[in-house]
Amino acid sequence: MCAYFGLEGCEQKKIAVIGTGYVGLVAGSCLADMGNEVICVDNNLDKIQQLKNGIIPIYEPRLGELVKSNVEEGRLFFTNDLDFAIKKSNVCFIAVGTPQGEDGSADLQYVFEVAKSIAKSMNEYKVIVNKSTVPVGSAEKITKIIKDITAHPFDVVSNPEFLKQGNAVEDFLHPDRIIIGSNSDRATQIMQDIYAPFFRTGNRIIVMDVKSAEMTKYASNSFLATRISFMNEIANLCEQVGADAQMVRLGMSSDSRIGSKFLFPGLGYGGSCFPKDVKALIKTGDDYGCQMNIIRCVDETNKNQREIFVQKIIKRFNSQLNNKIIAAWGLAFKPKTNDMREAPSITIINRLLSLGAKIQAFDPKAMESAKFYFGDKIIYSHSAYDALKNADCMLLLTEWNEFRQPDFDKMISLMKSPIIFDGRNQYDEKVLFKRGFEYYQIGKRYER
């Protein structure tokens, strides 16, 4: 085994990453970049063929070049042969989806199917790493599934991911911390060896028991979601009393105990993690007779935030939205991704469509993703300015960098009415008012 932080004496690990979704593909390519031999497995043969041909199914900065370079160096491989990958590997990362069930719980069927497949293909000691987000107690269930099938020795480890979409590669290569949930000294040492190259200048590996690691993932995401919902509630109150939420945020975040991250008023959180993890934590609380009152309110506040935004639009047009042309800038749930899962744009646009509005939308990366959610119900514009043609108003729904400094004169020349509803508080109201715009934002009452 190699030293705890040093690279001297480290042996190349043979790793299987099962699931080539967002987490699996980032993890696999980054682990290969540290010199390991990584086999990424997926049961979608078309996807595997695309990856072999250098086609990346998701948009994530730097991911394409990382995959390409490690494939060329002979460290990263793609296959649909799970049995082969398991037999060739010492460490198996499970990175399959855990979609939300109807009751809010995490659906673990894919995790359990992989566990069964690993057990059937075991040929020696393996460390089985759960990278998927799973409720407390899942490692115990996985352990039982595998023990019932094989007599080969193994250990199950919880290694939750904390990747931000749009910055996932950087987060994996330079993590705040690595959490290893392990009840085995042998497995713990192997995991420390795997992550040693990521921490050459300090110790940010935290070792704990498996259940605590499983809980840490849900607690972390739910706390961040709480900050977002809290700031949105404050912003809504600011509008009513005549305060400026941006100034309040600045005053709050200057306190070192609070800080500025995840404290921006807006349209609420979305994506594949926060909504699902918040609901899963509520369900876990219900299962164990523990009322998660704060987290329950966080979820409800987040849902309401989208409707509050819609109501601003309804009020401005006196409930007459039939045949109004509305331009939507941004569809992805956040910048630097094409992911639209639980995106605020879905709720807002569908609500406006139900009121008879016509939507002309543009997003730099999520146009294809949007077709899954909207089909032919909206117009997919070729550019941000194309979406503004004859528009009665514009909605800023995702804060892409290219939307930050637009040509306001050009916008006015294209729009039927120069009205902006800014769901991300991106613009300077004084500049917009001077140009003749009506400008509505989150957390501040509109005043000309």
Side-chain angles (χ1 to χ4, degrees):
M1 297 293 179
C2 65
Y4 193 88
F5 298 115
L7 295 176
E8 298 78 7
C10 273
E11 294 180 352
Q12 181 191 64
K13 299 293 186 296
K14 297 185 182 300
I15 297 171
V17 178
I18 304 155
T20 59
Y22 174 76
V23 173
L25 192 55
V26 171
S29 58
C30 289
L31 289 169
D33 205 52
M34 289 297 152
N36 299 295
E37 181 180 298
V38 180
I39 305 174
C40 288
V41 190
D42 203 287
N43 59 7
N44 185 328
L45 190 56
D46 290 338
K47 193 180 195 181
I48 289 298
Q49 196 57 52
Q50 284 185 326
L51 288 166
K52 286 182 176 180
N53 293 332
I55 300 171
I56 309 301
I58 59 174
Y59 174 73
E60 181 65 39
R62 291 188 60 194
L63 181 57
E65 61 189 74
L66 205 62
V67 170
K68 182 176 182 292
S69 63
N70 282 285
V71 168
E72 290 176 350
E73 292 294 330
R75 292 189 297 265
L76 182 61
F77 307 88
F78 298 100
T79 183
N80 66 330
D81 191 339
L82 181 57
D83 178 72
F84 167 79
I86 292 167
K87 283 183 166 62
K88 287 281 289 181
S89 302
N90 311 117
V91 182
C92 302
F93 282 78
I94 300 176
V96 295
T98 53
Q100 181 182 310
E102 292 184 5
D103 61 355
S105 62
D107 185 348
L108 301 182
Q109 62 173 312
Y110 305 114
V111 172
F112 293 157
E113 285 175 10
V114 170
K116 291 175 185 176
S117 297
I118 291 174
K120 293 174 183 177
S121 299
M122 291 266 281
N123 57 344
E124 59 181 347
Y125 173 78
K126 310 281 184 187
V127 177
I128 299 158
V129 185
N130 207 342
K131 203 71 177 169
S132 301
T133 301
V134 295
V136 176
S138 297
E140 288 182 347
K141 295 176 182 179
I142 293 169
T143 299
K144 184 178 186 308
I145 288 171
I146 297 173
K147 274 187 175 179
D148 287 345
I149 296 174
T150 182
H152 284 290
F154 67 94
D155 286 303
V156 176
V157 170
S158 175
N159 177 218
E161 55 87 13
F162 299 98
L163 306 179
K164 299 185 295 293
Q165 287 182 249
N167 201 57
V169 171
E170 184 68 18
D171 286 344
F172 201 102
L173 294 175
H174 305 284
D176 290 331
R177 79 289 199 197
I178 293 294
I179 290 178
I180 299 171
S182 172
N183 299 328
S184 158
D185 291 340
R186 182 181 184 184
T188 298
Q189 185 61 62
I190 291 172
M191 293 300 294
Q192 288 175 334
D193 291 349
I194 288 174
Y195 284 112
F198 297 91
F199 296 105
R200 299 185 69 182
T201 58
N203 178 6
R204 297 194 298 276
I205 296 178
I206 304 171
V207 179
M208 60 183 70
D209 64 277
V210 173
K211 286 187 176 181
S212 295
E214 291 171 333
M215 179 60 80
T216 297
K217 169 66 175 181
Y218 284 103
S220 297
N221 278 357
S222 294
F223 180 73
L224 296 175
T226 299
R227 287 176 65 98
I228 294 170
S229 286
F230 176 85
M231 193 65 231
N232 280 333
E233 282 208 334
I234 293 297
N236 295 335
L237 181 58
C238 284
E239 286 190 30
Q240 299 305 313
V241 304
D244 185 340
Q246 294 284 56
M247 295 295 100
V248 174
R249 182 192 67 82
L250 181 61
M252 291 174 60
S253 62
S254 298
D255 188 325
S256 60
R257 297 169 300 175
I258 298 173
S260 62
K261 293 183 178 180
F262 293 87
L263 209 63
F264 291 85
L267 299 175
Y269 56 80
S272 62
C273 293
F274 285 10
K276 179 169 67 74
D277 292 355
V278 164
K279 289 181 174 65
L281 191 58
I282 293 169
K283 180 61 169 60
T284 299
D286 290 343
D287 291 345
Y288 286 85
C290 184
Q291 293 300 311
M292 309 298 290
N293 296 323
I294 293 175
I295 306 304
R296 204 178 296 274
C297 290
V298 166
D299 182 46
E300 192 63 30
T301 297
N302 196 60
K303 293 175 187 174
N304 292 341
Q305 193 66 12
R306 290 98 188 266
E307 180 60 24
I308 289 171
F309 186 72
V310 171
Q311 287 300 321
K312 291 184 181 184
I313 304 167
I314 293 173
K315 182 179 179 181
R316 168 58 184 80
F317 290 101
N318 298 316
S319 301
Q320 302 300 313
L321 286 173
N322 192 47
N323 290 322
K324 293 291 184 185
I325 298 175
I326 298 178
W329 280 12
L331 297 169
F333 86 93
K334 64 177 291 188
K336 299 182 182 179
T337 181
N338 62 346
D339 195 343
M340 282 192 60
R341 286 175 289 182
E342 300 285 343
S345 64
I346 298 172
T347 308
I348 292 167
I349 288 175
N350 280 331
R351 182 81 166 86
L352 294 171
L353 288 171
S354 73
L355 296 171
K358 296 180 179 179
I359 306 295
Q360 299 175 171
F362 175 74
D363 187 284
K365 296 296 179 182
M367 298 295 273
E368 285 301 313
S369 302
K371 293 176 182 177
F372 174 81
Y373 295 94
F374 302 121
D376 59 1
K377 293 188 293 183
I378 68 173
I379 295 171
Y380 300 93
S381 302
H382 299 295
S383 69
Y385 293 113
D386 184 43
L388 295 175
K389 291 178 180 177
N390 298 314
D392 292 284
C393 68
M394 184 271 273
L395 316 181
L396 182 66
L397 303 180
T398 312
E399 64 275 34
W400 286 92
N401 284 343
E402 64 189 76
F403 298 157
R404 290 187 181 275
Q405 293 183 311
D407 184 335
F408 292 121
D409 291 333
K410 185 175 182 178
M411 291 175 68
I412 285 182
S413 71
L414 292 169
M415 299 176 72
K416 183 178 179 181
S417 304
I419 304 171
I420 295 176
F421 293 90
D422 187 348
R424 303 297 178 178
N425 290 359
Q426 189 161 268
Y427 301 126
D428 185 330
E429 61 179 359
K430 293 179 182 178
V431 171
L432 289 177
F433 291 161
K434 187 176 180 180
R435 297 293 181 94
F437 282 93
E438 285 185 40
Y439 181 54
Y440 301 88
Q441 51 192 312
I442 307 294
K444 188 172 183 180
R445 186 183 299 165
Y446 173 75
E447 295 176 359
R448 288 301 296 266

